[in-house]
Each structure stands twice: as structure tokens, then as C-alpha cells.
Amino acid sequence: MRRTLPHGGRTAPDVEDLFPSWSVTAPESLSRQSEVRAAIARFLLAGLVVLLVTAVPAAWWIRVVAEEHAVDHVLRTTQRLTSYAVAPLITEDLLSGGTADAAQLDKRLQPWLQDGTIHRIKIWDEDGTILYSDERSLVGQNFGPPPWDADLVAQGQGVATIERQEGPENTHESRAGQLVEVYVGFVPASGEQLVFEAYYDDAIVREEERSVLLGMAPALLLTLVLFQLAQLGPAVGLARRIQDQRAARARLLQHAVDAAELERVRVARDLHDDVIQDLAGLSYALEAQEMQADPEQRGGLGRTRSILQGSLRTLRGITTALYSPDLLTLGLPKAMANLAEPLVQRGVDTSVQIDPAVFLTPEQEGMFLKVAREAFANISKHAHASTVTLHLGVVHGATVMTISDDGTGFDDSGSSPEGHLGLRIMRDIADAAGAELSIRSRPGVGTTVLTTLPHDAVTVRF
């Protein structure tokens, strides 16, 4: 429940009751801590996004390097296999189609074929004819120009690629998916340039890729994470300094607003206690003098008394406008209605609507009341409006006060119009309470003042 303090028999409320302090309370301190945590969370989220954006291309680069390393390893293995296991067994009998030496080569290469390391083996001559293969049906077939670059495979050089095998010479390998294809040139004892071709299962390359990636990725990720953590400390400090500066600015604004409120009260009290009382006494004296004066003097004294009474009414109106209603006694709806009363008395069609769902702390009610007072004062002085509406309600969790008039308006694309100091005062009042104030106006259309208090600043009443 919202706490209400009775005034008892006091004849006038204290300044502290009229204008409650907006100093930093525990909920506001928690709110600032929450803002710092939110800023840190946004920083960490941005860091995570940067980490992912950086890690993906880095992982792709590591994978490419690992693949090149693995393929190069397979190429060197094939070169050694060709030089030390295959080349010594190439004989004239094998080159002419003999089966005895082919069987000996089968026996030498069988371990490579049985464990699945090598999927297929072919030995080509320079014309593109297959002289040997573990698939006997390919022996003796010619597939036209050789599929390799002679310069790359000459004298022990080689070339390796990873791709699907779909050429006419690969009818037996086309269903094996991606294979590592290696060509290595060599010259046996017979002196003829030959090419040794081997197809490896790409799993051996993928395993080495994963091994390299898993070996390098942790170090890379750790470096990036440490870099983010190194920035976290300065980011937290910066967020706190920003919050401290905002709090200091809010306190300065609050001091200015409080000083203005106190000055209003002092001026209203001085007018009421001194000037208004003296003028009222003078009015009574003139009335008494008028009753005793000669008939020819009564007209002048009556006109003087009427002017004096008009000035008294004006001063009392100014005093009422300066001296805000007591929220603790009247409540926000009645206090708002009292603010609008001078407009009603001037014949302005005025509507004040406050949603029952609005629950505010006394400090927040004071903020909305002060903004409304300045808005009504500006409308009274400058707008020449015939209709004024005030609505205070809850929109998407935020408390919003809208004050609209159909007066002369002004161009809101520039600075505040000349003489509209009240607009600046309203902005300072809203800013000091953590609210946002916006003004929309067009010449000849009217003005709308929108004050929004965020949902996390609203105190729920149970």
C-alpha cells in the first residue's frame, strides 16, 4: 500500500511535503547497478559475436592449411612408396603384360590395399595406357591423353588433389565419393617414364585436418577469450564512470529543480503575507473612504477600488500557480484537477484523465505534477487554446503522460520558441527523474507534450 501521511491540524504543508526529495534511493541504486550489468552483458554479447565472426574464418583457414598439410603428407608417402616399393619391381616382363612380375607387385602392395589406406593403384605410360592396376580389367586400356601435367610428375615430382572421380578411367572409383588422387612420376630400370597413380580414402586427410584443427583451435580461442577479458575491466570501469556522470548530472538537475521549487514557495509566501495583505487592506480602506466620500468623488474611488481588486485576483492566481497543491493531502487526480482549474475558469475546455492502473511513488507523482504545471502555464500564456487534454496511463509497461492543446503551436524542428522557458524547465524536471520528455508541435495545429517514465522506474503498489 502507498503510505499517506495525515497533516492533522497544520494550516500549511511543509516545503518537504509539497516537494518531496528526489535523492538517490535504494531502488534507484539497484536500477543503476542493473544498468551497469546490462551494459556489461551487451559488451559480452558483442564480444561473443565478434568471437564467432572471427573464429569461423580462422577455423576455415586452419582447415585449409591442415588439408594442404595432409595432402602434402600423402603425396610424400606416395613418392616414397613409388621409389622404394614399386620402381624396383618394374620389369620388362611386367611392362609387356607378363603376369609373374605383376603377381610379385601385387604381393608388395597388398598390405596397402587390404587395410583400406589405398583404394586403387594404377601405373601409366606416357601415352595414357594403363600398364598395371590392382583391377586387372583396366590393364592394357588406353584413355587418350594423360590426365596429368607431365612437368609436375616428371622425375619424381607429383601432384595430389581431393575430388570425386568421374572420368572415363574411373568407372570403378566413381561410387567411392571423394578420394585423394596422387600422381607421381618415376623412371624404372628400363628407362621409360612412367606414372604411379594411387587413390586414397579421404578419411586419412580428414582425420589429420581434425587433428590439426583441434590442436590449434583451443589456443586461438583462448587468445580471443583472453583478449575479450582484458577489455572487460576497462569496459566495466567506463560503464560505471558513465553511470556516475549521469547520476551527478541528475543530482545537479535535481538541485536546480528543488531550488526553483523553493523559490516559488518563497515568492508565493511573500506575495501572500506582504503584498496581497497590504493590497487587501488598501482595498478595504478605499471601500470605507468611498462610503464616506462626496458623491462626485465616489466614482473615482470606485473605479480605483475595482482596479485594485482585479490586481488582487491576479496576484492570488499567480500565488496559487506558484504554490503547488499538496499531493499527500489531495492525491494526484485532485492535484492535477486543481492545476487545470485556472484554464477552466478562462473558458478553456479542459479534460484530465488518470488511468486507475497508474501506480507511482510520491517522487514520481511530484515529477508528473511539476511537468503538468509548467505545461498548463505555457498553454495559458502562449497557446490561446480552446481545448486541452491531459491523460496519464500505462503504455507497454511505461507510465506516459500526454498533454495536448489545439492552440497556435510552433515549429518544433528548431529550438524552443522565444519566451518558452517552461519547455526547458519541463525537460530538466523529467530528466532529473529518469523520464523522457518530447514535444510535438506545428504552427496552427497545436502542441503535444509527451512524458514517458520507463517501466523499471515505476514502483508497483500492492
Side-chain angles (χ1 to χ4, degrees):
M1 295 293 294
R2 185 176 53 182
R3 181 168 60 91
T4 301
L5 298 177
H7 287 284
R10 287 187 298 176
T11 58
D14 294 336
V15 172
E16 289 81 1
D17 294 331
L18 284 171
F19 308 107
S21 173
W22 291 358
S23 59
V24 179
T25 61
E28 291 177 359
S29 178
L30 292 175
S31 175
R32 289 176 183 173
Q33 292 178 8
S34 177
E35 289 182 7
V36 173
R37 287 195 295 268
I40 294 173
R42 289 192 296 270
F43 174 81
L44 292 176
L45 181 60
L48 178 60
V49 172
V50 172
L51 180 64
L52 292 176
V53 171
T54 306
V56 169
W60 177 84
W61 173 77
I62 293 174
R63 178 182 176 276
V64 170
V65 172
E67 180 178 292
E68 292 177 354
H69 180 271
V71 170
D72 185 63
H73 176 70
V74 172
L75 176 59
R76 292 196 304 271
T77 300
T78 306
Q79 288 172 330
R80 289 194 295 269
L81 176 64
T82 303
S83 300
Y84 300 112
V86 175
L89 297 180
I90 301 299
T91 63
E92 292 291 344
D93 179 67
L94 185 144
L95 296 177
S96 61
T99 58
D101 291 342
Q104 186 177 2
L105 187 57
D106 287 341
K107 184 178 179 181
R108 176 68 60 86
L109 297 175
Q110 194 63 30
W112 297 81
L113 295 167
Q114 283 183 340
D115 64 8
T117 302
I118 296 179
H119 186 79
R120 179 78 61 236
I121 291 176
K122 301 173 186 175
I123 297 178
W124 303 72
D125 64 11
E126 292 182 298
D127 297 328
T129 300
I130 297 178
L131 303 177
Y132 169 84
S133 175
D134 59 299
E135 177 60 48
R136 289 291 188 266
S137 61
L138 295 174
V139 177
Q141 294 191 43
N142 183 284
F143 293 95
W148 59 84
D149 186 335
D151 293 335
L152 292 176
V153 299
Q155 300 299 326
Q157 295 182 356
V159 59
T161 59
I162 301 178
E163 58 188 1
R164 299 182 66 88
Q165 307 302 318
E166 298 177 346
E169 75 277 11
N170 301 122
T171 55
H172 298 280
E173 298 85 43
S174 58
R175 297 182 180 180
Q178 283 193 331
L179 296 174
V180 183
E181 182 181 27
V182 182
Y183 294 101
V184 174
F186 70 102
V187 179
S190 60
E192 181 181 357
Q193 175 69 54
L194 301 178
V195 174
F196 178 82
E197 181 185 18
Y199 296 91
Y200 295 83
D201 192 329
D202 69 335
I204 62 174
V205 172
R206 303 308 175 199
E207 288 177 4
E208 187 162 352
E209 279 182 19
R210 284 191 293 271
S211 177
V212 174
L213 184 60
L214 292 177
M216 297 181 64
L220 176 64
L221 293 176
L222 180 61
T223 301
L224 293 175
V225 169
L226 290 177
F227 178 71
Q228 286 297 116
L229 292 178
Q231 296 183 86
L232 182 59
V236 172
L238 178 61
R240 287 177 175 170
R241 285 196 297 273
I242 292 174
Q243 287 299 321
D244 290 343
Q245 291 175 359
R246 289 181 59 185
R249 182 172 180 269
R251 286 193 296 271
L252 289 174
L253 285 174
Q254 180 56 48
H255 292 326
V257 171
D258 288 344
E261 294 294 349
L262 291 174
E263 185 64 17
R264 284 175 181 271
V265 174
R266 188 191 65 80
V267 171
R269 183 179 61 246
D270 291 346
L271 286 175
H272 181 271
D273 295 344
D274 297 329
V275 179
I276 292 178
Q277 297 298 330
D278 292 344
L279 290 178
L282 181 59
S283 176
Y284 293 140
L286 284 174
E287 185 178 3
Q289 186 69 29
E290 181 184 357
M291 294 175 61
Q292 298 176 4
D294 296 334
E296 62 272 13
Q297 295 178 337
R298 289 179 183 174
L301 291 173
R303 288 191 296 273
T304 301
R305 183 170 55 85
S306 297
I307 294 173
L308 181 58
Q309 289 176 344
S311 298
L312 275 171
R313 285 192 296 271
T314 301
L315 282 175
R316 287 193 177 101
I318 292 173
T319 302
T320 301
L322 289 173
Y323 201 57
S324 298
D326 190 352
L327 277 173
L328 295 176
T329 300
L330 302 178
L332 185 61
K334 181 62 176 176
M336 287 289 193
N338 285 357
L339 287 179
E341 187 61 27
L343 291 173
V344 175
Q345 292 178 356
R346 293 177 55 183
V348 179
D349 183 9
T350 306
S351 171
V352 176
Q353 299 176 355
I354 298 180
D355 193 333
V358 172
F359 299 114
L360 301 170
T361 65
E363 292 81 4
Q364 293 164 350
E365 288 183 346
M367 182 272 294
F368 281 115
L369 189 68
K370 293 170 186 176
V371 171
R373 182 184 61 204
E374 294 296 339
F376 285 157
N378 286 336
I379 292 171
S380 177
K381 294 177 183 178
H382 307 289
H384 306 291
S386 60
T387 302
V388 177
T389 60
L390 181 149
H391 180 266
L392 181 63
V394 179
V395 179
H396 302 303
T399 304
V400 180
M401 182 175 71
T402 305
I403 302 176
S404 301
D405 68 74
D406 61 352
T408 55
F410 59 91
D411 185 3
D412 62 3
S413 61
S415 59
S416 299
E418 183 178 357
H420 279 216
L421 178 62
L423 301 183
R424 293 169 53 190
I425 294 175
M426 285 189 291
R427 292 187 190 277
D428 289 344
I429 292 171
D431 193 21
E436 295 181 2
L437 187 138
S438 61
I439 300 173
R440 298 192 295 269
S441 185
R442 289 290 182 275
V445 175
T447 302
T448 297
V449 177
L450 196 68
T451 308
T452 304
L453 188 67
H455 65 87
D456 56 357
V458 177
T459 301
V460 180
R461 182 173 58 187
F462 296 96

